[in-house]
Amino acid sequence: MLKVNEYFEGNVKSISLATSEGPATVGVMAKGSYEFGTSTKEVLIVTTGELKVKLPGAAEWKTFRPYEQFEVAAGQTFQLEVSADASYICYYK
């Protein structure tokens, strides 16, 4: 069964699904700044647009473009700057 999730007053929306690689979400983000926390390890792959990310413990921001990915360990927070609408898929490990 698919489940729709909505965050940041509707500026981030995702659909949860089960995949052959485990639980995942496919989502979109409107232009803006966001901070997320993780409960499990997350592997996020950008599918459209760009995500500027400040990973836990990092001093600098890094930009990820389509088909690039980053990982965040469980129990961490990370920040995102989205300059224009973007989409992603996130796997929960």
Side-chain angles (χ1 to χ4, degrees), residues 1-52:
M1 184 59 101
L2 301 177
K3 178 184 173 196
V4 176
N5 305 296
E6 189 171 310
Y7 309 96
F8 302 102
E9 299 176 352
N11 288 318
V12 177
K13 293 185 180 185
S14 66
I15 300 172
S16 299
L17 67 154
T19 73
S20 60
E21 296 187 37
T25 56
V26 175
V28 293
M29 295 182 189
K31 178 179 178 178
S33 300
Y34 308 103
E35 182 172 279
F36 289 94
T38 63
S39 58
T40 63
K41 177 182 171 182
E42 296 184 11
V43 177
L44 196 141
I45 303 166
V46 178
T47 53
T48 64
E50 292 183 352
L51 299 179
K52 189 174 177 184

Side-chain angles (χ1 to χ4, degrees), residues 10 40 64 66 89:
T40 63
F64 293 88
I89 185 165

